[in-house]
Amino acid sequence: MSSITYRGGSLHVEQVAVDDIAREVGTPFYCYSAGAIRARYEAFVRAFAGVDASIYYAVKANSNLAVISLLADAGAGVDIVSGGELTRALRAGVPAERIVFAGVGKTRDELSAALHAGIGQFNVESGAELELLAEVATGLGVTAYAGLRVNPDVDAGTHAKITTGTRENKFGVDIARAPELFDRAATLSGIRLESLSMHIGSQLLDLSPYRSAYLRLREMTCMLRGAGHRIDHLDLGGGLGIGYDGTMPAALDAYARIVADTVGDLGCRLGFEPGRFLVGDAGVLVTRVLFTKPGADKWFVIADAAMNDLIRPTLYEARHRVVPVTRADARAPVRRCDLVGPICESGDYIARDCDMAVPDGGDLLAILDAGAYGAVMASTYNTRPLVPEVLVKANRFAVVRRRQTVEEALALERVPDWLADRPGGP
């Protein structure tokens, strides 16, 4: 993104030098551009100007309160998948009616909390959940507004671990079962099922699977209406990808044309749930080089960020570009390198087989396109505290999650009395 660029040989996020942030907060840390996030959201809004559409940010991509608040202030609703994300969304100032609750495993307590809050819609993913939601809503004396998430059995052509729209995936119900479940919902009190929902996968750059999926959604909408069911809202999911290799993200204008061609004439309100597309390339992970060492075939660059901070390369075989915070001398020799961390796992790497000028110990590196599924998936493996998150707006920055301490992590644990009292115990 143009908000993350070199100025005078030094990497900046908007108008703030990354090395200035590093001096204040230490490394590693995540840094996000507020301007980039807002600009991407506004581009999405423009793509559907004149359409009765709502955008629900997929909180799972980056659940920092400041990021949610930034998008809520811009007009976005949110898509949540847990009771914890419900609390985050409300804490960040998202109006309850602009919250959509998805996910295959909602508990009774989570359903109750969301009904108490008065959220806009539940996306139901099984017959059992439909029955439970109706039961909880009836017990509370309220009505649950719901959509049925259907699985269109369309392969999004993306990584196996982030595809969600084929019959082998756990999400949604077989689209052929929709009439049966709408018929059942019509007999239940406490629930209004008037929407269809689907989400076929994540990180889509080839948009053709959307056309196939939305045509199936159109067919089912018409079938349900023919059977006397009211369908006034279609939730089209998210999944638009970004260019991790530096290429352009998925084309919004082409996506909007697919939507118009397939479901645009059905008279339904439309919902979209972008996550990575809004925040992914608006963030970087900044790390400091500890050591370098030559191997038999390549160099190892050992840094203070590790797989517990950014697990995407290990989990998804994801490839992130790595750049020096201070632009390297163009004359420096380029070598094949692995950027690895201190964790005691062979899978602890940030980038493998990348060509770069071998940095010196103490140099800063930035891992690009780390705004989505980065900090939000971090862990404290090897008792490594969670790292800070920083938000930049123009020439200002703020720490929006401070660095966790080891003592704070240990404070969640206890040694039981009966263990402590044993001979030789602590």
Side-chain angles (χ1 to χ4, degrees), residues 99-219:
I99 298 176
V100 173
F101 196 165
V104 300
K106 307 177 191 71
T107 67
R108 180 183 294 270
D109 286 346
E110 287 176 323
L111 295 175
S112 179
L115 287 165
H116 274 296
I119 71 164
Q121 179 168 305
F122 296 85
N123 282 342
V124 173
E125 302 213 20
S126 66
E129 183 189 339
L130 180 70
E131 302 279 349
L132 179 60
L133 178 58
E135 176 190 328
V136 175
T138 299
L140 294 175
V142 298
T143 298
Y145 295 87
L148 179 67
R149 179 171 177 176
V150 293
N151 186 322
D153 195 26
V154 171
D155 187 352
T158 186
H159 192 281
K161 292 181 180 177
I162 54 176
T163 187
T164 60
T166 68
R167 64 176 68 249
E168 291 83 9
N169 299 131
K170 70 178 182 179
F171 300 98
V173 300
D174 188 327
I175 195 168
R177 291 194 61 212
E180 167 198 342
L181 292 172
F182 269 81
D183 287 346
R184 175 56 180 155
T187 70
L188 298 173
S189 63
I191 192 166
R192 288 178 59 179
L193 187 63
E194 299 178 349
S195 173
L196 284 170
S197 165
M198 67 167 52
H199 175 67
I200 61 172
S202 185
Q203 185 51 17
L204 275 74
L205 295 172
D206 173 10
L207 303 182
S208 58
Y210 284 120
R211 183 177 295 276
S212 301
Y214 294 166
L215 285 172
R216 297 209 67 189
L217 194 67
R218 175 192 181 85
E219 180 183 13

Side-chain angles (χ1 to χ4, degrees), residues 39-379:
R40 186 60 60 79
Y41 172 76
E42 290 173 349
F44 208 111
V45 171
R46 288 194 301 274
F48 291 95
V51 178
D52 187 5
S54 298
I55 300 170
Y56 302 94
Y57 167 59
V59 167
K60 65 181 180 289
N62 185 324
S63 64
N64 188 282
L65 287 174
V67 171
I68 301 171
S69 181
L70 168 67
L71 286 162
D73 287 348
V78 296
D79 161 53
I80 62 168
V81 293
S82 72
E85 288 187 350
L86 171 65
T87 300
R88 280 185 176 274
L90 296 172
R91 187 77 55 86
V94 180
E97 64 272 17
R98 291 196 302 195
I99 298 176
V100 173
F101 196 165
V104 300
K106 307 177 191 71
T107 67
R108 180 183 294 270
D109 286 346
E110 287 176 323
L111 295 175
S112 179
L115 287 165
H116 274 296
I119 71 164
Q121 179 168 305
F122 296 85
N123 282 342
V124 173
E125 302 213 20
S126 66
E129 183 189 339
L130 180 70
E131 302 279 349
L132 179 60
L133 178 58
E135 176 190 328
V136 175
T138 299
L140 294 175
V142 298
T143 298
Y145 295 87
L148 179 67
R149 179 171 177 176
V150 293
N151 186 322
D153 195 26
V154 171
D155 187 352
T158 186
H159 192 281
K161 292 181 180 177
I162 54 176
T163 187
T164 60
T166 68
R167 64 176 68 249
E168 291 83 9
N169 299 131
K170 70 178 182 179
F171 300 98
V173 300
D174 188 327
I175 195 168
R177 291 194 61 212
E180 167 198 342
L181 292 172
F182 269 81
D183 287 346
R184 175 56 180 155
T187 70
L188 298 173
S189 63
I191 192 166
R192 288 178 59 179
L193 187 63
E194 299 178 349
S195 173
L196 284 170
S197 165
M198 67 167 52
H199 175 67
I200 61 172
S202 185
Q203 185 51 17
L204 275 74
L205 295 172
D206 173 10
L207 303 182
S208 58
Y210 284 120
R211 183 177 295 276
S212 301
Y214 294 166
L215 285 172
R216 297 209 67 189
L217 194 67
R218 175 192 181 85
E219 180 183 13
M220 182 52 66
T221 299
C222 294
M223 183 182 298
L224 290 168
R225 284 176 170 174
H229 295 291
R230 175 184 171 88
I231 306 294
D232 67 0
H233 174 246
L234 298 177
D235 184 337
L236 301 180
L240 289 173
I242 63 171
Y244 284 100
D245 59 358
T247 57
M248 295 297 291
L252 278 172
D253 55 348
Y255 177 60
R257 284 195 298 272
I258 289 173
V259 172
D261 291 346
T262 54
V263 300
D265 64 343
L266 294 177
C268 291
R269 295 179 294 110
L270 302 179
F272 301 93
E273 296 164 354
R276 181 197 321 263
F277 187 78
L278 299 183
V279 299
D281 50 9
V284 296
L285 172 61
V286 180
T287 184
R288 190 176 297 278
V289 175
L290 301 175
F291 314 103
T292 62
K293 65 178 181 179
D297 301 312
K298 55 190 170 184
W299 282 71
F300 292 94
V301 178
I302 304 163
D304 60 3
M307 63 181 285
N308 73 299
D309 304 308
L310 180 66
I311 199 171
R312 293 191 70 254
T314 299
L315 183 62
Y316 300 128
E317 296 83 41
R319 293 187 68 88
H320 287 259
R321 291 171 292 154
V322 180
V323 299
V325 168
T326 300
R327 196 192 293 270
D329 187 335
R331 297 166 296 181
V334 172
R335 301 188 185 280
R336 183 62 51 90
C337 296
D338 282 2
L339 175 61
V340 302
I343 281 180
C344 192
E345 295 279 352
S346 296
D348 177 27
Y349 58 87
I350 301 296
R352 301 179 77 176
D353 295 325
C354 56
D355 294 328
M356 59 191 296
V358 178
D360 294 324
D363 286 356
L364 295 173
L365 301 175
I367 296 92
L368 303 183
D369 308 313
Y373 306 107
V376 76
M377 296 182 77
S379 75

